[in-house]
Amino acid sequence: MNTQLNIRPARPEETCLILEFIKKLAVYEKCANEVVADEVTLYHSLFVEHSAEVVFAEEDGEVIGFALFFHNFSTFVGRKGLYLEDLFILPEKRGKGYGKALLKYLARLAVERHCGRMEWICLDWNQPALEVYRSIGAIPMNEWTVQRLDEAALKRFAEKK
């Protein structure tokens, strides 16, 4: 049986499914306890404010993966970029090229939208993903480290005198 992969934008009524995939990704990344998003917040952020976008990968009509992305801006390039926040394929569907197909879909979208670059981060222990990224020509930004203020630290710093 030939399988058919389809990639399409998520619809507002699929917010519950988006949250399910976020939780599955968090389990894979060993940080399930960090997910505080809920359907209401996601719906508002994605479909009212349009802060980010989600696409689903479907195999023969069944959703088997997702990608969540948004636009950032590069001062050096002088144009927006596409920032891939999350990409996840169900474990039993990996190894079929679906992750690479999602990346290609996003790369084409970035080109259509005149983005200067596409970026994402990857956990250093995620060797299968790193191999895919190298195979498509992605280069590691070894000189850079990710910095973060979580919500509590952000509030403390913002209120500090």
Side-chain angles (χ1 to χ4, degrees), residues 5-24:
L5 182 70
N6 180 49
I7 299 172
R8 63 163 179 85
R11 297 182 292 268
E13 63 271 17
E14 295 174 311
T15 304
C16 178
L17 186 57
I18 295 167
L19 184 56
E20 277 182 44
F21 271 87
I22 290 169
K23 289 178 178 179
K24 289 174 194 270

Side-chain angles (χ1 to χ4, degrees), residues 17-126:
L17 186 57
I18 295 167
L19 184 56
E20 277 182 44
F21 271 87
I22 290 169
K23 289 178 178 179
K24 289 174 194 270
L25 171 65
V27 168
Y28 177 76
E29 291 185 345
K30 302 175 179 93
C31 57
N33 61 326
E34 294 181 30
V35 178
V36 296
D38 58 42
E39 285 184 53
V40 173
T41 304
L42 278 175
Y43 180 89
H44 187 77
S45 295
L46 297 172
F47 300 108
V48 177
E49 292 180 345
H50 303 284
S51 300
E53 299 174 60
V54 173
V55 293
F56 282 127
E58 297 175 321
E59 179 189 67
D60 297 326
E62 174 196 354
V63 176
I64 55 91
F66 90 119
L68 186 146
F69 62 97
F70 54 88
H71 290 288
N72 58 8
F73 190 84
S74 168
T75 55
F76 289 3
V77 176
R79 296 194 327 236
K80 67 183 173 185
L82 190 145
Y83 187 84
L84 173 59
E85 178 67 24
D86 291 324
L87 187 148
F88 180 78
I89 301 294
L90 294 174
E92 64 273 16
K93 300 296 181 178
R94 293 184 189 148
K96 296 182 175 186
Y98 295 160
K100 195 180 280 190
L102 266 172
L103 288 166
K104 184 174 286 245
Y105 177 94
L106 295 173
R108 288 178 176 152
L109 190 64
V111 169
E112 287 172 18
R113 294 181 181 184
H114 307 288
C115 294
R117 56 172 65 146
M118 181 168 132
E119 297 176 315
W120 60 93
I121 60 172
C122 181
L123 291 164
D124 58 9
W125 55 259
N126 192 348

